[in-house]
Amino acid sequence: MTASRLAIEVSDLRVAYGTKEVLHGISFDVKENEIFAIIGPAQSGKTSLLRCLNRTIDQVAEASVTGTVKIDGLDVRRVKDVFALRRKVGMVAPLPVGLPLTIFDNVAFAPRCAGMKARGELEAIVERCLRQAALWDEVKDRLGSLGTALSGGQQQRLTIARALSHDPEILCLDEFSIAIDPVTTMRIEDVLKELQSRVTIILVTNLVQQARRLADRTMFLWNGDIVEVGSTDVVFSDNPADRRTYGYVNGIFG
């Protein structure tokens, strides 16, 4: 894959909750249209990092952030329209969060909030996003049913469809497969590979082999510090830049 333009630039990022610092001045970049995986044990700061990208960290009262996060060259801390930022940087949570609405209205929610009213336009967006999330064929005949009545794997794909409905440039997934079966996980992985040509994907996963299957580059985050970031082939090789990486990806610790 050739991708030279930087979609994300992080420099000296520090995050603390009260007096406890969870990210210790990390710096890295993400290229446009790459799948960038972040691996590491629990409590390494992975989710906190994702929250800094679209400023959902702002919703945590005790959180403090220093350093710089740039999206397409713009410092996100200086962005005045945070809702526009969050449309640009979509987020999918570890557990599916279905709105208590129909399948159709779940996907149409964001476009409607943006002012779209034409039924035909909404129908086109709903179908496109459900197709992109590999869910259309399963739900096309029951779009009026509650989204929360779907299976766990279907709800997770509905969450992805909803995230895609506002055409994000960057899609962040935080351990999307934590509560779904392996078959559905593989289906969503296929979806992500197809989406890569249109969006930049940040994938936080505790399943190291998932990172190995999907990612162009992988970052190993441990206790709030970057141990290693580089080509996934190198990170998962017998000779990564740091021997701790070898130990983690091979299950020796973590």
Side-chain angles (χ1 to χ4, degrees):
M1 190 194 80
T2 57
S4 56
R5 195 175 82 87
L6 296 182
I8 301 170
E9 300 167 82
V10 175
S11 179
D12 195 27
L13 179 65
R14 295 179 182 273
V15 175
Y17 300 106
T19 60
K20 180 177 176 57
E21 189 173 77
V22 297
L23 289 176
H24 310 311
I26 65 173
S27 300
F28 67 97
D29 58 60
V30 179
K31 299 174 183 177
E32 185 178 43
N33 296 112
E34 76 171 334
I35 299 180
F36 185 88
I38 304 173
I39 61 173
Q43 308 301 315
S44 290
K46 303 186 297 295
T47 296
S48 294
L49 169 56
L50 288 189
R51 289 174 176 168
C52 291
L53 300 183
N54 70 352
R55 286 181 49 187
T56 50
I57 195 77
D58 294 1
Q59 299 167 350
V60 183
E62 70 271 23
S64 60
V65 179
T66 62
T68 304
V69 176
K70 292 183 178 181
I71 304 291
D72 290 336
L74 299 176
D75 187 343
V76 301
R77 304 303 301 176
R78 297 178 180 272
V79 171
K80 294 182 179 180
D81 188 348
V82 70
F83 298 107
L85 173 66
R86 290 171 187 164
R87 287 193 294 271
K88 189 171 189 173
V89 185
M91 191 80 69
V92 176
L95 296 174
V97 182
L99 300 175
L101 303 169
T102 67
I103 296 168
F104 184 96
D105 289 340
N106 260 273
V107 183
F109 184 81
R112 280 176 171 151
C113 288
M116 184 175 293
K117 297 179 180 180
R119 181 73 183 186
E121 293 180 358
L122 289 170
E123 288 176 346
I125 289 173
V126 169
E127 179 174 349
R128 171 176 60 81
C129 293
L130 288 172
R131 285 188 182 279
Q132 289 176 344
L135 188 56
W136 174 254
D137 289 339
E138 297 171 37
V139 302
K140 62 184 178 181
D141 296 324
R142 48 179 173 140
L143 296 178
S145 301
L146 279 175
T148 50
L150 296 172
S151 70
Q154 289 173 324
Q155 286 192 55
Q156 189 64 290
R157 281 179 282 155
L158 180 62
T159 302
I160 292 173
R162 194 169 69 237
L164 293 172
S165 67
H166 43 73
D167 293 320
E169 294 179 17
I170 298 167
L171 183 63
C172 301
L173 299 104
D174 190 359
E175 297 183 33
F176 74 86
S177 56
I178 194 171
I180 55 179
D181 63 271
V183 173
T184 301
T185 294
M186 295 300 290
R187 291 192 65 183
I188 297 177
E189 289 182 9
D190 289 340
V191 168
L192 297 180
K193 292 174 186 175
E194 293 176 6
L195 288 174
Q196 183 180 3
S197 64
R198 297 187 289 277
V199 297
T200 301
I201 297 171
I202 314 297
L203 174 68
V204 165
T205 179
N206 280 335
L207 304 176
V208 293
Q209 293 305 315
Q210 185 173 76
R212 189 173 194 171
R213 289 192 297 269
L214 288 176
D216 301 294
R217 289 191 299 148
T218 297
M219 182 169 75
F220 176 27
L221 193 63
W222 187 23
N223 292 332
D225 291 302
I226 295 174
V227 174
E228 181 168 351
V229 58
S231 163
T232 296
D233 288 341
V234 172
V235 169
F236 282 87
S237 72
D238 290 337
N239 295 291
D242 192 299
R243 293 306 293 174
R244 290 175 294 176
T245 304
Y246 179 87
Y248 181 73
V249 301
N250 286 281
I252 297 172
F253 72 92

